Amino acid sequence: MNRTLFGLLGSLLVLATFGFAQDGKEPLRFAQVIAPEAVARNIGDERGLPVGTFERGTPLAVYREQAGYLAVEAPGGFRAWVLGRFLATTDQPGVREVTGNGVNIRPGPKDDVRNFPLGTPLFAGDRVRILAKSDPALSDEDAWFQILTPPGVTAWMKADAVGPLPAEVDAKLAWERAVAAAAPVVRRPAPAPDAAAPTAKVLDDPRVVLEAARRRLAEERAKNVPDYGSVRAEFERAKRLAGEGVVAVEAQSELERVEALEDVASLRDRLENERQRIVTETAEAQAEAWNRQRRADPLGALFHARGVLERRLETDGTPHYVLVAGGTSTHELVSTSGRYDLDVFLGCQVGVRGSKRTLLGTQILTVEALEVVAHRTGR
């Protein structure tokens, strides 16, 4: 890994620390699904894992465009997974509250490379509806929970599956009605109203306006979709009311700060593209290293594939079985003959012979013969 790559990853870490998200509260546009159905994925690539499938005519809010994919929000959210240690129970049945900041949302109940998190994390106070638990035998802290993502979370959808709404349709109104019909969980409880409304004189006090703008900036920075434009307008008003003097200087300083935040949010988009490229190349390099190792394996002539058998859950709860070697999934196993109950071999190192095919970048191996190479340990 070269010096440039280390620098890039360092910049990504800085962005993650400060929690910058998409710049601009409003989406670029409203659109709809025009394909018979469209799959939303965790990354803008056909190898990304699905977090939802939407039928033709579903309204969408589009936030970003990138290499043939769109970052979209769907009414009612997506189906994804969050580690239970970051979720606390609430007084609402089936609803939990996020306890940490920058909590990752993943397409499956595992934090491996394949389950790369969605670009929009969760923050303390967010509320999510629980759909399923990965393993009922695990404690809530150690288990993964499938959730319905709250408003503001985006996933990636192919651009050619998305098109404009009919010209006679009020696009924003159609979106708002779809969101209301989906009845998503409120992202954060609404703050309590002020005890008394401020007087007109207070509203025109430049110091009061400046401090209110500072509080608003802190609130926006904590959001996944900060509205820096409206914050900028509040600081400009404080500067205009002050005319000159200390408050005007402070307001100008805050305006420069907002400009820097907007620049970093724009940079984040470019870094996200590079991060996804790095993740993809790393996964491919790991797979190639395993293939080289397998070819040099003395048992390679006996088996088409070898590794530890694990069971994983898809986003809809459907189990699938994979061979893992060197920490990387190499093949997905399918037993169509009914000869083998793959659950019996979980945790064992097995050798498999069978027919291979590739589906969406995944090596599928239909089991014809299976042999235990080493029994499971520590189970």
Side-chain angles (χ1 to χ4, degrees):
M1 189 176 292
N2 58 33
R3 185 184 303 273
T4 301
L5 183 54
F6 273 116
L8 175 61
L9 293 177
S11 298
L12 289 171
L13 180 60
V14 170
L15 289 178
T17 301
F18 285 92
F20 295 112
Q22 303 149 176
D23 56 333
K25 187 174 183 179
E26 293 296 323
L28 295 177
R29 63 181 183 275
F30 297 101
Q32 66 174 339
V33 175
I34 59 173
E37 64 175 22
V39 178
R41 302 181 184 276
N42 60 326
I43 61 173
D45 190 280
E46 65 179 7
R47 289 168 291 187
L49 298 182
V51 292
T53 302
F54 301 89
E55 62 184 12
R56 188 195 305 272
T58 302
L60 302 168
V62 179
Y63 285 91
R64 281 190 290 161
E65 302 182 23
Q66 172 185 299
Y69 280 81
L70 303 176
V72 302
E73 180 183 353
F78 307 100
R79 293 174 180 263
W81 296 82
V82 173
L83 192 57
R85 70 187 58 175
F86 300 113
L87 299 174
T89 57
T90 69
D91 56 359
Q92 291 180 266
V95 175
R96 298 209 174 193
E97 185 169 303
V98 179
T99 60
N101 286 320
V103 175
N104 285 325
I105 311 172
R106 297 182 182 273
K110 199 164 186 179
D111 58 355
D112 57 9
V113 171
R114 190 166 182 243
N115 284 282
F116 193 75
L118 278 69
T120 318
L122 298 174
F123 288 86
D126 290 348
R127 291 196 169 193
V128 295
R129 186 168 298 282
I130 303 300
L131 302 177
K133 185 177 180 179
S134 62
D135 188 344
L138 292 177
S139 67
D140 283 2
E141 182 173 335
D142 294 329
W144 290 78
F145 286 86
Q146 189 181 43
I147 68 166
L148 196 63
T149 59
V153 174
T154 60
W156 293 94
M157 192 176 288
K158 278 190 172 181
D160 58 11
V162 179
L165 289 158
E168 66 273 14
V169 172
D170 185 322
K172 187 173 183 180
L173 181 59
W175 166 254
E176 291 173 348
R177 286 177 173 173
V179 171
V185 177
V186 176
R187 206 166 164 68
R188 288 186 179 87
D194 293 338
T199 64
K201 182 177 181 181
V202 172
L203 289 175
D204 288 336
D205 185 313
R207 173 59 68 179
V208 171
V209 174
L210 176 63
E211 295 304 325
R214 283 171 168 163
R215 289 193 298 272
R216 175 73 185 282
L217 177 59
E219 292 171 359
E220 292 299 324
R221 289 187 62 180
K223 294 181 179 179
N224 288 327
V225 188
D227 182 6
Y228 291 134
S230 63
V231 175
R232 173 189 291 276
E234 293 182 24
F235 282 124
E236 288 174 343
R237 179 167 178 265
K239 181 180 178 181
R240 185 170 61 253
L241 289 172
E244 57 183 21
V246 175
V247 173
V249 172
E250 292 181 19
Q252 178 60 38
S253 177
E254 295 292 359
L255 283 169
E256 293 171 0
R257 182 185 180 198
V258 171
E259 182 178 358
L261 291 173
E262 291 174 324
D263 289 343
V264 173
S266 176
L267 174 62
R268 180 187 182 279
D269 283 345
R270 298 195 296 272
L271 292 175
E272 179 67 22
N273 292 343
E274 185 65 12
R275 178 168 62 176
Q276 290 188 16
R277 184 188 66 79
I278 292 170
V279 169
T280 300
E281 290 182 355
T282 300
E284 291 174 349
Q286 288 175 339
E288 177 58 28
W290 165 242
N291 287 334
R292 289 196 301 269
Q293 179 182 348
R294 185 179 61 80
R295 289 192 291 269
D297 191 338
L299 297 178
L302 298 178
F303 306 115
H304 291 135
R306 187 158 66 91
V308 177
L309 182 61
E310 293 186 3
R311 179 178 60 198
R312 296 177 180 175
L313 295 177
E314 292 290 356
T315 54
D316 61 358
T318 302
H320 67 114
Y321 300 85
V322 297
L323 285 181
V324 177
T328 302
S329 301
T330 62
H331 296 79
E332 180 173 341
L333 300 189
V334 178
S335 179
T336 56
S337 66
R339 179 181 177 186
Y340 295 100
D341 181 358
L342 298 180
D343 284 319
V344 174
F345 302 95
L346 292 178
C348 297
Q349 185 177 148
V350 298
V352 183
R353 293 185 62 82
S355 57
K356 292 184 179 182
R357 61 191 175 94
T358 301
L359 179 63
L360 297 177
T362 299
Q363 292 289 325
I364 308 295
L365 179 56
T366 301
V367 179
E368 296 173 0
L370 184 149
E371 182 177 334
V372 175
V373 177
H375 286 281
R376 70 192 77 186
T377 60
R379 293 178 62 91

